[in-house]
Amino acid sequence: MNLTTPALMIQATGSNAGKSTIIAGLARALVRRGLKVAPFKPQNMSNNAAVAIDGGEIGRAQAVQARAAKLPPSVHMNPVLLKPETDTGAQVIVQGQRWGTLRAKNYLEKKAALLPAVLESFSLLADEADIVLVEGAGSPAEINLRKGDIANMGFAVAANIPVVLAGDIDRGGVIASLAGTHLVLEADERARIHGFIVNKFRGDPSLFDNGLAAITRLTGWPSIGVLPWLPQAAFLPAEDAVDLDRSHVSSSTRIIAVLVLARIANFDDLDPLGMEPGVKLIFVRPGEVVPGNADVVILPGSKSTIGDLAFLRAQGWDIDIKAHVRRGGHVLGLCGGYQMLGRTIADPDGVDGSPGTVDGLGLLDIATLMSADKSTTLVTGTHCATGAAIEGYEIHLGRSEGADCSRPLVMIDGRPDGAASVDGRVQGTYVHGLFTGDAFRKAWLANLGIASSLAYDAQIEAALDALADHCEKHLDIDRLIEIARSRQSNNASAV
């Protein structure tokens, strides 16, 4: 294992405290200082995955962090990815490839066996980097999960990496959460933490000076800085479904409605549409009805297509969608959502749930056959209707065939993908990420009579640069670099 490359781990007092965003900002800031930065997250849990340059899956946050670091995303940046399929089980991805599907209890028993793969991936990245920025998962205060841990202190101890702890003041109780984490950690783990960051502060940070002093008095940890709330962070692709609550204000009357499925996946597909001034993107929650004035209804990706199809019907959305189509509305299915639009979904081997065949919504003349073979690949091609260039990625099980496939949505790498109804108002595709391309998005929206004015890539780069500026202004980055470099001296003394 690499013991010499400087490394710093950002852990947090809870989920959604901003670890991913902090790492992205630090990565861009350090790259601008001339360092080669590698982002790394030992274990992630998310159904928002990205396809890495080496062909496997990683969490979306690590792909964003790789972009911030100006590196192509690698499977080694997130060697263990858990993709929830039910409330108690998840598909386990190891170094980009499907390793198995386990119930939560079984995973807790087996996770320690994945530590060698995690350490191998870390070493491969560290060998090529000037500094590695490591993101924890959840919170180290979850001491009930400490045995066999590979996500937080378990990894930090195994790789001998110093830690900085982040707390989210926006949700309240940040003093208690930081002090409480100190209380429940073991003495050697407390000593591994070199300071804390207070994130998402609204208002005048100087008003929290007494709070910082109280945290230091209770924990002995120094403050590394207070990060104010940064609106531009909302432009970066989100990883957790909780972030669907983020909204970009729009006064447009042109509504695109997205169904929030129980196992919604790769919903960052929709971020560019939400950023278009001419679009009002609405997320339809369970128990809500599809707006009758929607121009388009989108069925997004799903980690459990058959299960989410049943969930969709339980909400009555199948009735709403068919009424929408009768009124002349448009429907787009992405990956699992595309499969739901067909006549049938057959799963003889039970790879998506219980073996069997279920009826789809019947809006596309296609049939889907599930299989254990999983496609995870980056793709390029063209939009069939306009010739606009497209690029994206595939992450899916199964294949779909039928008469409507004779009208594909896109050509990718020389082959047709997707399907469209005879009138063209119902469409589907297996390709994720299509809307990040300005040319495709402009063409697709133009078909609806909506003008596109967004330069998406430029917007993301501007957000990353703003985040780096934010970190430079409000965090002691020189101190963070010193902490990362302390790993070298600690490992040298251990030898």
Side-chain angles (χ1 to χ4, degrees), residues 120-172:
E120 177 188 46
S121 289
F122 172 80
S123 288
L124 289 171
L125 289 179
D127 287 344
E128 301 296 326
D130 296 321
I131 185 171
V132 183
L133 297 177
V134 184
E135 180 185 341
S139 170
E142 295 161 345
I143 56 176
N144 56 309
L145 303 177
R146 177 63 177 88
K147 183 179 179 181
D149 172 56
I150 62 173
N152 288 303
M153 284 299 177
F155 173 76
V157 170
N160 199 11
I161 295 177
V163 175
V164 168
L165 189 65
D168 177 4
I169 197 170
D170 188 57
R171 67 178 63 182

Side-chain angles (χ1 to χ4, degrees), residues 14 25 66 145 237 274 331 406 410 454 473:
L145 303 177
V331 178
S406 64
V410 295
L454 173 69
K473 181 177 180 180

Side-chain angles (χ1 to χ4, degrees), residues 6 42 44 134 280 303 308 344 376 396 434 482:
N44 201 349
V134 184
K280 187 175 185 64
K303 190 63 196 69
D308 266 348
T344 58
T376 57
H396 68 89
L434 287 173
E482 289 176 9

Side-chain angles (χ1 to χ4, degrees), residues 82 85-92 100-111:
L82 308 178
E85 294 179 328
T86 67
D87 288 340
T88 58
Q91 186 180 112
V92 183
T101 297
L102 295 175
R103 294 179 64 83
K105 181 178 180 180
N106 299 128
Y107 179 71
L108 291 177
E109 295 169 350
K110 294 179 180 293
K111 63 181 178 178

